[in-house]
Amino acid sequence: MTKKILQRKVHAVLTRLAAGQVVNGITCPPINVPMVGNIRLLGSATKTEKGEKIAGTLTAIMYLAPADSGGILRGGKPLNLCPWFSPGCRAGCLGEHSGRMRHDSTSNAQRWKTALYAAAPNLMRDLIAVEASALEKKAAKLSLEPAIRLDGTSDIGLALLWNLPQSFPAIRWYDYTKSVKRLDKVKAVSLPNYHITFSASERADSPTGAARALAYGYSVAGIVNTSKPDVALLIRQVLGLSGDIPSVTVADGDNSVGDARFRDKPSSLVWLTVKGGKPVATKLGKMVFSV
Ligand code: SF4
């Protein structure tokens, strides 16, 4: 199917949803539907632009509506794209703390993309494949490595669900997750071009997830309250330890490779400071490690 035909089909689905119709059991709140030709699922963010400069990577990210914030209903029940959210991360994401994520047009885009995912996942997968091919070509021209993160503000594992790393072996696919189970699934397939980072939080199962991610060779990311963290204390808190601490590679995520976690040394614990000052730190609450 050509890009134009695909976009027309996507437009038709979104137009029905925007008109309040139920499409494959899905309803959604009012959305502004982009015109055919302007339907784009993948975008970029400041953090990834840093990755482009530092790590030789051309990155694209898809942002869906985090957790249940899209107001999309499946069979009358709210659709939740972050089954393992913590109170802090949900408040932080819904507080729209990350620069460009503040605008109404951004929430509209997150909403129609989420509605499309729920109502017509095959169309979304096909359109992502078209955009992935274009990114791959653009990256080749720029002598950069293409990288895609589909769950930019969700935690459902779309890349693996749709076998995209296998279909596009030259692209680096990467995600963050708060799910211990997803780590096991990633380990089971062990694809050379797919990387996952465990996002440490105040959840009770976070220390288990962090330890498992490090054991599997994946990264762990944690938000901290200072730019000069006490490394031993950070390891203790993230891994939930009170006694001796294991030897762990700890890296400054603010000064390393932007969002390109797949450039981390295997089994790295990466810390990032809160972006957005006290108001954001307050929203994130116990998700921020005091170290
Ligand atoms: S931080 Fe991740 S899991 Fe938490 S609400 Fe945002 S996207 Fe979802």
Side-chain angles (χ1 to χ4, degrees), residues 166-195:
Q166 295 93 325
S167 302
F168 293 91
I171 296 178
R172 293 275 200 161
W173 300 83
Y174 70 108
D175 280 322
Y176 289 71
T177 189
K178 286 188 173 57
S179 163
V180 183
K181 273 189 198 161
R182 279 196 61 204
L183 297 174
D184 294 336
K185 280 188 188 161
V186 173
K187 176 71 177 163
V189 289
S190 281
L191 297 167
N193 61 328
Y194 182 81
H195 184 272

PDB file of all heavy atoms in Angstrom, residues 166-195:
ATOM      1  N   GLN A 166      12.792  -6.939  13.910  1.00  0.00           N
ATOM      2  CA  GLN A 166      13.143  -7.993  12.956  1.00  0.00           C
ATOM      3  C   GLN A 166      12.951  -7.497  11.518  1.00  0.00           C
ATOM      4  O   GLN A 166      13.716  -7.859  10.616  1.00  0.00           O
ATOM      5  CB  GLN A 166      12.264  -9.244  13.185  1.00  0.00           C
ATOM      6  CG  GLN A 166      12.483  -9.924  14.534  1.00  0.00           C
ATOM      7  CD  GLN A 166      11.509  -9.435  15.608  1.00  0.00           C
ATOM      8  OE1 GLN A 166      11.135  -8.273  15.646  1.00  0.00           O
ATOM      9  NE2 GLN A 166      11.119 -10.334  16.500  1.00  0.00           N
ATOM     10  N   SER A 167      11.915  -6.668  11.301  1.00  0.00           N
ATOM     11  CA  SER A 167      11.648  -6.169   9.936  1.00  0.00           C
ATOM     12  C   SER A 167      12.644  -5.096   9.523  1.00  0.00           C
ATOM     13  O   SER A 167      12.874  -4.892   8.329  1.00  0.00           O
ATOM     14  CB  SER A 167      10.240  -5.572   9.857  1.00  0.00           C
ATOM     15  OG  SER A 167       9.289  -6.525  10.222  1.00  0.00           O
ATOM     16  N   PHE A 168      13.194  -4.374  10.508  1.00  0.00           N
ATOM     17  CA  PHE A 168      14.146  -3.288  10.202  1.00  0.00           C
ATOM     18  C   PHE A 168      15.428  -3.497  10.999  1.00  0.00           C
ATOM     19  O   PHE A 168      15.698  -2.800  11.973  1.00  0.00           O
ATOM     20  CB  PHE A 168      13.517  -1.924  10.552  1.00  0.00           C
ATOM     21  CG  PHE A 168      12.355  -1.551   9.687  1.00  0.00           C
ATOM     22  CD1 PHE A 168      11.065  -1.903  10.047  1.00  0.00           C
ATOM     23  CD2 PHE A 168      12.546  -0.862   8.492  1.00  0.00           C
ATOM     24  CE1 PHE A 168       9.980  -1.569   9.239  1.00  0.00           C
ATOM     25  CE2 PHE A 168      11.468  -0.520   7.677  1.00  0.00           C
ATOM     26  CZ  PHE A 168      10.189  -0.879   8.056  1.00  0.00           C
ATOM     27  N   PRO A 169      16.257  -4.459  10.589  1.00  0.00           N
ATOM     28  CA  PRO A 169      17.441  -4.793  11.376  1.00  0.00           C
ATOM     29  C   PRO A 169      18.491  -3.688  11.436  1.00  0.00           C
ATOM     30  O   PRO A 169      19.328  -3.682  12.334  1.00  0.00           O
ATOM     31  CB  PRO A 169      17.996  -6.041  10.678  1.00  0.00           C
ATOM     32  CG  PRO A 169      17.374  -6.062   9.331  1.00  0.00           C
ATOM     33  CD  PRO A 169      16.065  -5.345   9.429  1.00  0.00           C
ATOM     34  N   ALA A 170      18.433  -2.724  10.481  1.00  0.00           N
ATOM     35  CA  ALA A 170      19.446  -1.660  10.496  1.00  0.00           C
ATOM     36  C   ALA A 170      19.056  -0.513  11.437  1.00  0.00           C
ATOM     37  O   ALA A 170      19.833   0.419  11.646  1.00  0.00           O
ATOM     38  CB  ALA A 170      19.645  -1.114   9.081  1.00  0.00           C
ATOM     39  N   ILE A 171      17.847  -0.581  11.972  1.00  0.00           N
ATOM     40  CA  ILE A 171      17.401   0.473  12.901  1.00  0.00           C
ATOM     41  C   ILE A 171      17.572  -0.014  14.337  1.00  0.00           C
ATOM     42  O   ILE A 171      17.322  -1.173  14.644  1.00  0.00           O
ATOM     43  CB  ILE A 171      15.916   0.838  12.640  1.00  0.00           C
ATOM     44  CG1 ILE A 171      15.770   1.449  11.237  1.00  0.00           C
ATOM     45  CG2 ILE A 171      15.380   1.795  13.706  1.00  0.00           C
ATOM     46  CD1 ILE A 171      14.344   1.813  10.848  1.00  0.00           C
ATOM     47  N   ARG A 172      18.024   0.889  15.205  1.00  0.00           N
ATOM     48  CA  ARG A 172      18.067   0.603  16.644  1.00  0.00           C
ATOM     49  C   ARG A 172      16.692   0.905  17.210  1.00  0.00           C
ATOM     50  O   ARG A 172      16.220   2.035  17.112  1.00  0.00           O
ATOM     51  CB  ARG A 172      19.061   1.530  17.339  1.00  0.00           C
ATOM     52  CG  ARG A 172      20.471   1.287  16.964  1.00  0.00           C
ATOM     53  CD  ARG A 172      21.044   0.189  17.817  1.00  0.00           C
ATOM     54  NE  ARG A 172      22.479   0.254  17.807  1.00  0.00           N
ATOM     55  CZ  ARG A 172      23.247  -0.325  18.715  1.00  0.00           C
ATOM     56  NH1 ARG A 172      22.718  -1.014  19.687  1.00  0.00           N
ATOM     57  NH2 ARG A 172      24.542  -0.221  18.633  1.00  0.00           N
ATOM     58  N   TRP A 173      16.055  -0.062  17.803  1.00  0.00           N
ATOM     59  CA  TRP A 173      14.762   0.142  18.463  1.00  0.00           C
ATOM     60  C   TRP A 173      15.036   0.134  19.952  1.00  0.00           C
ATOM     61  O   TRP A 173      15.822  -0.696  20.443  1.00  0.00           O
ATOM     62  CB  TRP A 173      13.790  -0.966  18.069  1.00  0.00           C
ATOM     63  CG  TRP A 173      13.528  -1.013  16.596  1.00  0.00           C
ATOM     64  CD1 TRP A 173      14.303  -1.622  15.657  1.00  0.00           C
ATOM     65  CD2 TRP A 173      12.464  -0.380  15.880  1.00  0.00           C
ATOM     66  NE1 TRP A 173      13.782  -1.419  14.401  1.00  0.00           N
ATOM     67  CE2 TRP A 173      12.645  -0.662  14.512  1.00  0.00           C
ATOM     68  CE3 TRP A 173      11.354   0.392  16.266  1.00  0.00           C
ATOM     69  CZ2 TRP A 173      11.772  -0.202  13.523  1.00  0.00           C
ATOM     70  CZ3 TRP A 173      10.483   0.834  15.284  1.00  0.00           C
ATOM     71  CH2 TRP A 173      10.700   0.544  13.936  1.00  0.00           C
ATOM     72  N   TYR A 174      14.422   1.050  20.685  1.00  0.00           N
ATOM     73  CA  TYR A 174      14.696   1.065  22.126  1.00  0.00           C
ATOM     74  C   TYR A 174      13.487   1.573  22.893  1.00  0.00           C
ATOM     75  O   TYR A 174      12.629   2.271  22.349  1.00  0.00           O
ATOM     76  CB  TYR A 174      15.946   1.902  22.437  1.00  0.00           C
ATOM     77  CG  TYR A 174      15.785   3.398  22.242  1.00  0.00           C
ATOM     78  CD1 TYR A 174      15.724   4.255  23.344  1.00  0.00           C
ATOM     79  CD2 TYR A 174      15.722   3.965  20.984  1.00  0.00           C
ATOM     80  CE1 TYR A 174      15.598   5.625  23.188  1.00  0.00           C
ATOM     81  CE2 TYR A 174      15.592   5.325  20.812  1.00  0.00           C
ATOM     82  CZ  TYR A 174      15.531   6.156  21.909  1.00  0.00           C
ATOM     83  OH  TYR A 174      15.389   7.503  21.743  1.00  0.00           O
ATOM     84  N   ASP A 175      13.424   1.172  24.148  1.00  0.00           N
ATOM     85  CA  ASP A 175      12.297   1.520  25.015  1.00  0.00           C
ATOM     86  C   ASP A 175      12.764   1.683  26.450  1.00  0.00           C
ATOM     87  O   ASP A 175      13.856   1.219  26.813  1.00  0.00           O
ATOM     88  CB  ASP A 175      11.259   0.377  25.015  1.00  0.00           C
ATOM     89  CG  ASP A 175      10.355   0.403  23.796  1.00  0.00           C
ATOM     90  OD1 ASP A 175       9.977   1.496  23.362  1.00  0.00           O
ATOM     91  OD2 ASP A 175      10.043  -0.687  23.286  1.00  0.00           O
ATOM     92  N   TYR A 176      11.890   2.291  27.236  1.00  0.00           N
ATOM     93  CA  TYR A 176      12.015   2.283  28.692  1.00  0.00           C
ATOM     94  C   TYR A 176      10.789   1.532  29.213  1.00  0.00           C
ATOM     95  O   TYR A 176       9.727   1.577  28.590  1.00  0.00           O
ATOM     96  CB  TYR A 176      11.956   3.700  29.267  1.00  0.00           C
ATOM     97  CG  TYR A 176      13.158   4.568  28.995  1.00  0.00           C
ATOM     98  CD1 TYR A 176      13.425   5.057  27.718  1.00  0.00           C
ATOM     99  CD2 TYR A 176      14.019   4.942  30.029  1.00  0.00           C
ATOM    100  CE1 TYR A 176      14.519   5.880  27.472  1.00  0.00           C
ATOM    101  CE2 TYR A 176      15.110   5.766  29.789  1.00  0.00           C
ATOM    102  CZ  TYR A 176      15.351   6.232  28.504  1.00  0.00           C
ATOM    103  OH  TYR A 176      16.430   7.054  28.264  1.00  0.00           O
ATOM    104  N   THR A 177      10.936   0.871  30.346  1.00  0.00           N
ATOM    105  CA  THR A 177       9.777   0.193  30.933  1.00  0.00           C
ATOM    106  C   THR A 177       9.846   0.189  32.451  1.00  0.00           C
ATOM    107  O   THR A 177      10.931   0.320  33.032  1.00  0.00           O
ATOM    108  CB  THR A 177       9.670  -1.265  30.425  1.00  0.00           C
ATOM    109  OG1 THR A 177       8.427  -1.813  30.863  1.00  0.00           O
ATOM    110  CG2 THR A 177      10.810  -2.142  30.952  1.00  0.00           C
ATOM    111  N   LYS A 178       8.675   0.036  33.058  1.00  0.00           N
ATOM    112  CA  LYS A 178       8.632  -0.181  34.506  1.00  0.00           C
ATOM    113  C   LYS A 178       8.187  -1.611  34.792  1.00  0.00           C
ATOM    114  O   LYS A 178       7.890  -1.956  35.932  1.00  0.00           O
ATOM    115  CB  LYS A 178       7.656   0.805  35.158  1.00  0.00           C
ATOM    116  CG  LYS A 178       8.210   2.207  35.215  1.00  0.00           C
ATOM    117  CD  LYS A 178       7.339   3.137  36.029  1.00  0.00           C
ATOM    118  CE  LYS A 178       8.036   4.462  36.187  1.00  0.00           C
ATOM    119  NZ  LYS A 178       8.394   5.105  34.906  1.00  0.00           N
ATOM    120  N   SER A 179       8.136  -2.431  33.767  1.00  0.00           N
ATOM    121  CA  SER A 179       7.622  -3.787  33.923  1.00  0.00           C
ATOM    122  C   SER A 179       8.753  -4.809  34.031  1.00  0.00           C
ATOM    123  O   SER A 179       9.600  -4.900  33.143  1.00  0.00           O
ATOM    124  CB  SER A 179       6.747  -4.123  32.716  1.00  0.00           C
ATOM    125  OG  SER A 179       6.553  -5.524  32.647  1.00  0.00           O
ATOM    126  N   VAL A 180       8.714  -5.592  35.094  1.00  0.00           N
ATOM    127  CA  VAL A 180       9.701  -6.670  35.251  1.00  0.00           C
ATOM    128  C   VAL A 180       9.449  -7.732  34.175  1.00  0.00           C
ATOM    129  O   VAL A 180      10.375  -8.286  33.583  1.00  0.00           O
ATOM    130  CB  VAL A 180       9.593  -7.283  36.670  1.00  0.00           C
ATOM    131  CG1 VAL A 180      10.653  -8.356  36.869  1.00  0.00           C
ATOM    132  CG2 VAL A 180       9.731  -6.200  37.741  1.00  0.00           C
ATOM    133  N   LYS A 181       8.160  -7.981  33.908  1.00  0.00           N
ATOM    134  CA  LYS A 181       7.806  -9.004  32.901  1.00  0.00           C
ATOM    135  C   LYS A 181       8.344  -8.645  31.513  1.00  0.00           C
ATOM    136  O   LYS A 181       8.772  -9.502  30.760  1.00  0.00           O
ATOM    137  CB  LYS A 181       6.278  -9.102  32.781  1.00  0.00           C
ATOM    138  CG  LYS A 181       5.650 -10.041  33.754  1.00  0.00           C
ATOM    139  CD  LYS A 181       4.192 -10.196  33.378  1.00  0.00           C
ATOM    140  CE  LYS A 181       3.423 -10.753  34.566  1.00  0.00           C
ATOM    141  NZ  LYS A 181       1.997 -10.518  34.430  1.00  0.00           N
ATOM    142  N   ARG A 182       8.285  -7.365  31.176  1.00  0.00           N
ATOM    143  CA  ARG A 182       8.765  -6.979  29.844  1.00  0.00           C
ATOM    144  C   ARG A 182      10.268  -7.241  29.705  1.00  0.00           C
ATOM    145  O   ARG A 182      10.749  -7.566  28.623  1.00  0.00           O
ATOM    146  CB  ARG A 182       8.441  -5.506  29.550  1.00  0.00           C
ATOM    147  CG  ARG A 182       6.995  -5.303  29.084  1.00  0.00           C
ATOM    148  CD  ARG A 182       6.797  -3.948  28.432  1.00  0.00           C
ATOM    149  NE  ARG A 182       7.614  -3.775  27.251  1.00  0.00           N
ATOM    150  CZ  ARG A 182       7.993  -2.579  26.763  1.00  0.00           C
ATOM    151  NH1 ARG A 182       7.606  -1.475  27.378  1.00  0.00           N
ATOM    152  NH2 ARG A 182       8.726  -2.499  25.687  1.00  0.00           N
ATOM    153  N   LEU A 183      11.008  -7.103  30.799  1.00  0.00           N
ATOM    154  CA  LEU A 183      12.445  -7.411  30.746  1.00  0.00           C
ATOM    155  C   LEU A 183      12.651  -8.864  30.346  1.00  0.00           C
ATOM    156  O   LEU A 183      13.511  -9.196  29.521  1.00  0.00           O
ATOM    157  CB  LEU A 183      13.099  -7.160  32.108  1.00  0.00           C
ATOM    158  CG  LEU A 183      13.100  -5.728  32.645  1.00  0.00           C
ATOM    159  CD1 LEU A 183      13.656  -5.703  34.063  1.00  0.00           C
ATOM    160  CD2 LEU A 183      13.927  -4.808  31.738  1.00  0.00           C
ATOM    161  N   ASP A 184      11.844  -9.740  30.953  1.00  0.00           N
ATOM    162  CA  ASP A 184      11.967 -11.176  30.643  1.00  0.00           C
ATOM    163  C   ASP A 184      11.629 -11.449  29.180  1.00  0.00           C
ATOM    164  O   ASP A 184      12.273 -12.265  28.520  1.00  0.00           O
ATOM    165  CB  ASP A 184      11.048 -11.996  31.558  1.00  0.00           C
ATOM    166  CG  ASP A 184      11.500 -11.925  33.012  1.00  0.00           C
ATOM    167  OD1 ASP A 184      12.694 -11.665  33.259  1.00  0.00           O
ATOM    168  OD2 ASP A 184      10.657 -12.125  33.909  1.00  0.00           O
ATOM    169  N   LYS A 185      10.603 -10.759  28.680  1.00  0.00           N
ATOM    170  CA  LYS A 185      10.215 -10.968  27.272  1.00  0.00           C
ATOM    171  C   LYS A 185      11.326 -10.522  26.332  1.00  0.00           C
ATOM    172  O   LYS A 185      11.621 -11.174  25.333  1.00  0.00           O
ATOM    173  CB  LYS A 185       8.951 -10.160  26.960  1.00  0.00           C
ATOM    174  CG  LYS A 185       7.696 -10.848  27.444  1.00  0.00           C
ATOM    175  CD  LYS A 185       6.468 -10.108  26.935  1.00  0.00           C
ATOM    176  CE  LYS A 185       5.221 -10.694  27.584  1.00  0.00           C
ATOM    177  NZ  LYS A 185       4.084  -9.810  27.508  1.00  0.00           N
ATOM    178  N   VAL A 186      11.947  -9.377  26.662  1.00  0.00           N
ATOM    179  CA  VAL A 186      13.030  -8.865  25.810  1.00  0.00           C
ATOM    180  C   VAL A 186      14.206  -9.836  25.839  1.00  0.00           C
ATOM    181  O   VAL A 186      14.823 -10.141  24.809  1.00  0.00           O
ATOM    182  CB  VAL A 186      13.457  -7.458  26.281  1.00  0.00           C
ATOM    183  CG1 VAL A 186      14.688  -6.984  25.523  1.00  0.00           C
ATOM    184  CG2 VAL A 186      12.318  -6.467  26.079  1.00  0.00           C
ATOM    185  N   LYS A 187      14.490 -10.352  27.022  1.00  0.00           N
ATOM    186  CA  LYS A 187      15.606 -11.308  27.170  1.00  0.00           C
ATOM    187  C   LYS A 187      15.327 -12.568  26.343  1.00  0.00           C
ATOM    188  O   LYS A 187      16.228 -13.123  25.703  1.00  0.00           O
ATOM    189  CB  LYS A 187      15.756 -11.651  28.660  1.00  0.00           C
ATOM    190  CG  LYS A 187      16.805 -12.686  28.968  1.00  0.00           C
ATOM    191  CD  LYS A 187      18.194 -12.141  28.772  1.00  0.00           C
ATOM    192  CE  LYS A 187      19.238 -13.162  29.166  1.00  0.00           C
ATOM    193  NZ  LYS A 187      20.555 -12.817  28.625  1.00  0.00           N
ATOM    194  N   ALA A 188      14.056 -13.004  26.355  1.00  0.00           N
ATOM    195  CA  ALA A 188      13.696 -14.240  25.642  1.00  0.00           C
ATOM    196  C   ALA A 188      13.956 -14.106  24.138  1.00  0.00           C
ATOM    197  O   ALA A 188      14.372 -15.074  23.496  1.00  0.00           O
ATOM    198  CB  ALA A 188      12.233 -14.588  25.901  1.00  0.00           C
ATOM    199  N   VAL A 189      13.730 -12.915  23.570  1.00  0.00           N
ATOM    200  CA  VAL A 189      13.972 -12.775  22.124  1.00  0.00           C
ATOM    201  C   VAL A 189      15.403 -12.321  21.817  1.00  0.00           C
ATOM    202  O   VAL A 189      15.940 -12.640  20.765  1.00  0.00           O
ATOM    203  CB  VAL A 189      12.967 -11.810  21.432  1.00  0.00           C
ATOM    204  CG1 VAL A 189      11.585 -12.430  21.354  1.00  0.00           C
ATOM    205  CG2 VAL A 189      12.895 -10.467  22.095  1.00  0.00           C
ATOM    206  N   SER A 190      16.012 -11.593  22.760  1.00  0.00           N
ATOM    207  CA  SER A 190      17.416 -11.145  22.646  1.00  0.00           C
ATOM    208  C   SER A 190      17.795 -10.706  21.231  1.00  0.00           C
ATOM    209  O   SER A 190      18.603 -11.336  20.563  1.00  0.00           O
ATOM    210  CB  SER A 190      18.371 -12.258  23.098  1.00  0.00           C
ATOM    211  OG  SER A 190      18.417 -12.293  24.491  1.00  0.00           O
ATOM    212  N   LEU A 191      17.205  -9.617  20.782  1.00  0.00           N
ATOM    213  CA  LEU A 191      17.505  -9.102  19.445  1.00  0.00           C
ATOM    214  C   LEU A 191      18.674  -8.117  19.518  1.00  0.00           C
ATOM    215  O   LEU A 191      18.715  -7.274  20.411  1.00  0.00           O
ATOM    216  CB  LEU A 191      16.268  -8.390  18.878  1.00  0.00           C
ATOM    217  CG  LEU A 191      15.048  -9.299  18.677  1.00  0.00           C
ATOM    218  CD1 LEU A 191      13.806  -8.465  18.439  1.00  0.00           C
ATOM    219  CD2 LEU A 191      15.297 -10.255  17.526  1.00  0.00           C
ATOM    220  N   PRO A 192      19.621  -8.200  18.575  1.00  0.00           N
ATOM    221  CA  PRO A 192      20.795  -7.321  18.651  1.00  0.00           C
ATOM    222  C   PRO A 192      20.461  -5.843  18.467  1.00  0.00           C
ATOM    223  O   PRO A 192      21.223  -4.983  18.901  1.00  0.00           O
ATOM    224  CB  PRO A 192      21.687  -7.818  17.497  1.00  0.00           C
ATOM    225  CG  PRO A 192      20.774  -8.562  16.585  1.00  0.00           C
ATOM    226  CD  PRO A 192      19.675  -9.108  17.427  1.00  0.00           C
ATOM    227  N   ASN A 193      19.331  -5.538  17.819  1.00  0.00           N
ATOM    228  CA  ASN A 193      19.004  -4.135  17.551  1.00  0.00           C
ATOM    229  C   ASN A 193      17.832  -3.635  18.402  1.00  0.00           C
ATOM    230  O   ASN A 193      17.169  -2.671  18.030  1.00  0.00           O
ATOM    231  CB  ASN A 193      18.684  -3.934  16.063  1.00  0.00           C
ATOM    232  CG  ASN A 193      17.489  -4.754  15.611  1.00  0.00           C
ATOM    233  OD1 ASN A 193      17.244  -5.841  16.128  1.00  0.00           O
ATOM    234  ND2 ASN A 193      16.736  -4.249  14.653  1.00  0.00           N
ATOM    235  N   TYR A 194      17.553  -4.314  19.514  1.00  0.00           N
ATOM    236  CA  TYR A 194      16.507  -3.833  20.420  1.00  0.00           C
ATOM    237  C   TYR A 194      17.096  -3.704  21.826  1.00  0.00           C
ATOM    238  O   TYR A 194      17.692  -4.644  22.350  1.00  0.00           O
ATOM    239  CB  TYR A 194      15.302  -4.790  20.450  1.00  0.00           C
ATOM    240  CG  TYR A 194      14.207  -4.276  21.349  1.00  0.00           C
ATOM    241  CD1 TYR A 194      13.309  -3.297  20.895  1.00  0.00           C
ATOM    242  CD2 TYR A 194      14.074  -4.707  22.659  1.00  0.00           C
ATOM    243  CE1 TYR A 194      12.330  -2.778  21.727  1.00  0.00           C
ATOM    244  CE2 TYR A 194      13.097  -4.192  23.502  1.00  0.00           C
ATOM    245  CZ  TYR A 194      12.227  -3.234  23.025  1.00  0.00           C
ATOM    246  OH  TYR A 194      11.258  -2.716  23.854  1.00  0.00           O
ATOM    247  N   HIS A 195      16.905  -2.528  22.436  1.00  0.00           N
ATOM    248  CA  HIS A 195      17.452  -2.275  23.768  1.00  0.00           C
ATOM    249  C   HIS A 195      16.358  -1.791  24.692  1.00  0.00           C
ATOM    250  O   HIS A 195      15.474  -1.045  24.281  1.00  0.00           O
ATOM    251  CB  HIS A 195      18.556  -1.200  23.678  1.00  0.00           C
ATOM    252  CG  HIS A 195      19.241  -0.935  24.978  1.00  0.00           C
ATOM    253  ND1 HIS A 195      18.778  -0.010  25.899  1.00  0.00           N
ATOM    254  CD2 HIS A 195      20.362  -1.478  25.521  1.00  0.00           C
ATOM    255  CE1 HIS A 195      19.591   0.009  26.948  1.00  0.00           C
ATOM    256  NE2 HIS A 195      20.561  -0.870  26.747  1.00  0.00           N
TER     257      HIS A 195
END
